[in-house]
Amino acid sequence: MGELIYTFAAIASRFKNGKTSLLGMRRLAGTLHPHGVPITWLVSADSARVAANELTEWHDQFGDDVAVAPPELSIPPLNMSGSFAERCDRLAGYRGAIQQALPWAECRIASGHTDPEIVKMCAELGFEGLWGFCWEQIEVDQITDRGCPWGFYYMHPEDRLRPAEGRSVVALEWTARDLLKSFHSGNPTIYSTDPNDVARGSICAWDNIDYWKALADNYLRNTRYNEQVFLLQHQEAHETEIADGWRCYTEEDIRESLIMLDRFVAHIKPNVRMMTLADAVRAYREQNEKTASSYMLWEDSPTPPANPDFAWNTCPGPWPRTFLHYDTGAQMMFVEGQVQPQCIRNYGKTWDNLDFYAETHIPRARLIRNVQHTWSREIELEVDSPKAMPYGFALWGDYGLYQIGEAPGLVEGKILPRELLFLRYNLAPGINRFVVKLQGK
């Protein structure tokens, strides 16, 4: 059984007329600190200076931390101008100004992940993590990250959305998503841990957070199959107050969001390890020499009908149980009962905003034989592929009495007891035949 690691981040970088969103910060702190949640505040140099007393007090009493939010890489994200060296110097300058205001701040995490050279910049400057990735998202807040993994992964230096083979800067999600609904609906921003989005979508409200509880329970169940599962949550400080320059919601909306956060953290608290972003990244780096493979079996959660003004052009489901996997070579999704993947995102391809690494033709799997002996099984599968590509099989059923034995060509395999047998291969062009032997435990 692995562990579920919970982190809470808050954008607190707004600064106008000598002020930052201190009221919103205090409201978030007052809601989360009583539950023992350390908050990671994403600050600018100006907001860090104005909120220095509060940030220092919360750091000393509750373990809060800060991360670097460069002005050019705010929300919506804009790319820095200038040469690589000039941009590195500016990012280092922002970190230095924050550390001048907060001498205790290590500033191991940065935000603003859309710059094409941001991985190299962070590595050059010694940042350990980069926050803000949005799984399956297209265009919202000018962010299109479809194709990247969920949770944490080491970023490839040449492509921030692709996992690296070895150690690198760690990518962190903006806020955790419902993997099943996000994938099948194509609208991941509705089905997330963002309090305003689920409220605007009318799928959570005030103390009715049944959907959020079901989402968290899916994450918790998947600690059966993974050493670490990360549940990241976020809320903007400036969206938790009304002020000149950043009025976003009404006081009623703000009260609702805080009640929802309070109820949600109370629900997950007994089953999670609470960390700052920096500590979570350190835990990931201590555990993994390369991007960890992820195995997520997700069950659909009933929701009220979504508000069509917010969820326009979105299929409401329900959808079948779905198994999702990624490793350094690919990301795959399988619907219950179907052996071949419904989607393959091939990290050997170049990313574009049409296919998002996806293979446009997925060959079908064929069963050649499935022979059961007294205390072993032998399964032979065939795939006729038009090209080389990563591939996987999800054999649904209870294989919990076995362990994977001889399996030539197997990249990796995993048995999810009482659920499925997952087999990961790489296909060559033409006929591919694979034999896997299962031995009784």
Side-chain angles (χ1 to χ4, degrees), residues 334-412:
F334 302 80
V335 298
E336 186 172 22
Q338 185 169 301
V339 173
Q340 70 269 359
Q342 181 170 312
C343 176
I344 298 175
R345 301 202 186 279
N346 181 357
Y347 290 130
K349 295 178 63 175
T350 300
W351 185 92
D352 61 50
N353 60 4
L354 294 176
D355 295 330
F356 313 102
Y357 300 123
E359 292 291 348
T360 55
H361 172 72
I362 299 176
R364 290 182 61 83
R366 296 184 178 91
L367 177 65
I368 304 303
R369 57 193 171 95
N370 184 0
V371 180
Q372 186 169 4
H373 302 284
T374 303
W375 203 231
S376 65
R377 294 176 74 162
E378 187 169 292
I379 302 169
E380 184 173 2
L381 301 159
E382 180 183 280
V383 180
D384 186 0
S385 179
K387 55 178 284 191
M389 69 173 74
Y391 196 81
F393 303 93
L395 304 177
W396 298 82
D398 187 0
Y399 293 84
L401 297 179
Y402 301 97
Q403 55 189 342
I404 299 173
E406 184 181 343
L410 185 68
V411 176
E412 62 179 279

Side-chain angles (χ1 to χ4, degrees), residues 205-230:
W206 298 100
D207 57 351
N208 180 8
I209 60 163
D210 289 347
Y211 169 66
W212 258 4
K213 291 179 179 179
L215 184 155
D217 292 347
N218 266 299
Y219 275 98
L220 180 61
R221 275 195 300 271
N222 279 289
T223 58
R224 301 170 185 173
Y225 318 123
N226 302 274
E227 291 298 320
Q228 295 172 323
V229 175
F230 295 92

Side-chain angles (χ1 to χ4, degrees), residues 273-306:
R273 185 178 174 193
M274 297 177 176
M275 293 185 175
T276 62
L277 295 183
D279 287 342
V281 167
R282 283 282 173 90
Y284 184 83
R285 294 176 66 86
E286 289 171 2
Q287 180 77 29
N288 303 294
E289 289 297 320
K290 67 173 187 176
T291 296
S293 297
S294 180
Y295 310 87
M296 304 292 277
L297 179 59
W298 209 273
E299 297 182 5
D300 200 6
S301 307
T303 58

Side-chain angles (χ1 to χ4, degrees), residues 228-241:
Q228 295 172 323
V229 175
F230 295 92
L231 177 57
L232 295 86
Q233 191 166 31
H234 166 263
Q235 172 66 313
E236 288 94 332
H238 62 267
E239 292 187 351
T240 318
E241 69 170 80

Side-chain angles (χ1 to χ4, degrees), residues 176-183 185 187-195 197-199 201-219 221 260 264 267-268 298-304 316 319:
R177 308 291 170 91
D178 179 323
L179 300 186
L180 182 147
K181 290 182 183 291
S182 294
F183 170 65
S185 73
N187 196 347
T189 55
I190 297 175
Y191 303 112
S192 79
T193 51
D194 184 294
D197 287 346
V198 292
S202 299
I203 56 178
C204 287
W206 298 100
D207 57 351
N208 180 8
I209 60 163
D210 289 347
Y211 169 66
W212 258 4
K213 291 179 179 179
L215 184 155
D217 292 347
N218 266 299
Y219 275 98
R221 275 195 300 271
M260 289 165 57
F264 180 68
H267 174 74
I268 65 171
W298 209 273
E299 297 182 5
D300 200 6
S301 307
T303 58
W319 292 283

Side-chain angles (χ1 to χ4, degrees), residues 50-367:
V50 172
N53 289 338
E54 285 82 358
L55 290 169
T56 299
E57 178 185 345
W58 296 334
H59 170 73
D60 292 341
Q61 292 189 19
F62 304 104
D64 286 13
D65 195 16
V66 295
V68 179
E72 295 99 328
L73 301 176
S74 60
I75 306 300
L78 304 174
N79 293 335
M80 289 187 184
S81 60
S83 68
F84 178 80
E86 290 170 339
R87 289 147 67 210
C88 282
D89 286 344
R90 289 215 303 279
L91 183 54
Y94 299 140
R95 179 176 60 187
I98 291 170
Q99 290 174 325
Q100 185 175 2
L102 304 167
W104 50 265
E106 295 183 358
C107 295
R108 289 184 265 150
I109 308 297
S111 67
H113 70 288
T114 59
D115 188 286
E117 292 191 296
I118 191 63
V119 184
K120 294 179 180 179
M121 292 167 62
C122 286
E124 178 76 14
L125 297 174
F127 286 102
E128 296 180 2
L130 183 64
W131 173 87
F133 288 80
C134 301
W135 188 69
E136 285 296 290
Q137 184 165 305
I138 296 177
E139 296 180 350
V140 176
D141 289 328
Q142 299 180 30
I143 295 174
T144 296
D145 284 347
R146 180 163 290 178
C148 76
W150 56 86
F152 283 21
Y153 64 96
Y154 290 119
M155 292 179 286
H156 194 285
E158 303 297 333
D159 182 355
R160 63 185 179 84
L161 299 181
R162 175 159 56 102
E165 288 286 347
R167 296 167 71 89
S168 177
V169 182
V170 179
L172 297 80
E173 276 186 296
W174 183 327
T175 196
R177 308 291 170 91
D178 179 323
L179 300 186
L180 182 147
K181 290 182 183 291
S182 294
F183 170 65
H184 288 294
S185 73
N187 196 347
T189 55
I190 297 175
Y191 303 112
S192 79
T193 51
D194 184 294
N196 300 121
D197 287 346
V198 292
R200 287 186 291 177
S202 299
I203 56 178
C204 287
W206 298 100
D207 57 351
N208 180 8
I209 60 163
D210 289 347
Y211 169 66
W212 258 4
K213 291 179 179 179
L215 184 155
D217 292 347
N218 266 299
Y219 275 98
L220 180 61
R221 275 195 300 271
N222 279 289
T223 58
R224 301 170 185 173
Y225 318 123
N226 302 274
E227 291 298 320
Q228 295 172 323
V229 175
F230 295 92
L231 177 57
L232 295 86
Q233 191 166 31
H234 166 263
Q235 172 66 313
E236 288 94 332
H238 62 267
E239 292 187 351
T240 318
E241 69 170 80
I242 297 174
D244 293 339
W246 52 73
R247 180 187 176 107
C248 298
Y249 298 103
T250 66
E251 286 290 344
E252 184 178 83
D253 295 330
I254 292 168
R255 288 196 300 274
E256 181 182 43
S257 70
L258 294 172
I259 288 172
M260 289 165 57
L261 285 173
D262 179 69
R263 300 294 174 91
F264 180 68
V265 176
H267 174 74
I268 65 171
K269 184 177 179 179
N271 298 304
V272 301
R273 185 178 174 193
M274 297 177 176
M275 293 185 175
T276 62
L277 295 183
D279 287 342
V281 167
R282 283 282 173 90
Y284 184 83
R285 294 176 66 86
E286 289 171 2
Q287 180 77 29
N288 303 294
E289 289 297 320
K290 67 173 187 176
T291 296
S293 297
S294 180
Y295 310 87
M296 304 292 277
L297 179 59
W298 209 273
E299 297 182 5
D300 200 6
S301 307
T303 58
N307 186 329
D309 290 337
F310 186 67
W312 184 81
N313 195 27
T314 301
C315 177
W319 292 283
R321 287 200 310 165
T322 301
F323 173 65
L324 306 97
H325 166 77
Y326 71 74
D327 55 31
T328 57
Q331 182 178 153
M332 304 180 189
M333 295 76 162
F334 302 80
V335 298
E336 186 172 22
Q338 185 169 301
V339 173
Q340 70 269 359
Q342 181 170 312
C343 176
I344 298 175
R345 301 202 186 279
N346 181 357
Y347 290 130
K349 295 178 63 175
T350 300
W351 185 92
D352 61 50
N353 60 4
L354 294 176
D355 295 330
F356 313 102
Y357 300 123
E359 292 291 348
T360 55
H361 172 72
I362 299 176
R364 290 182 61 83
R366 296 184 178 91
L367 177 65

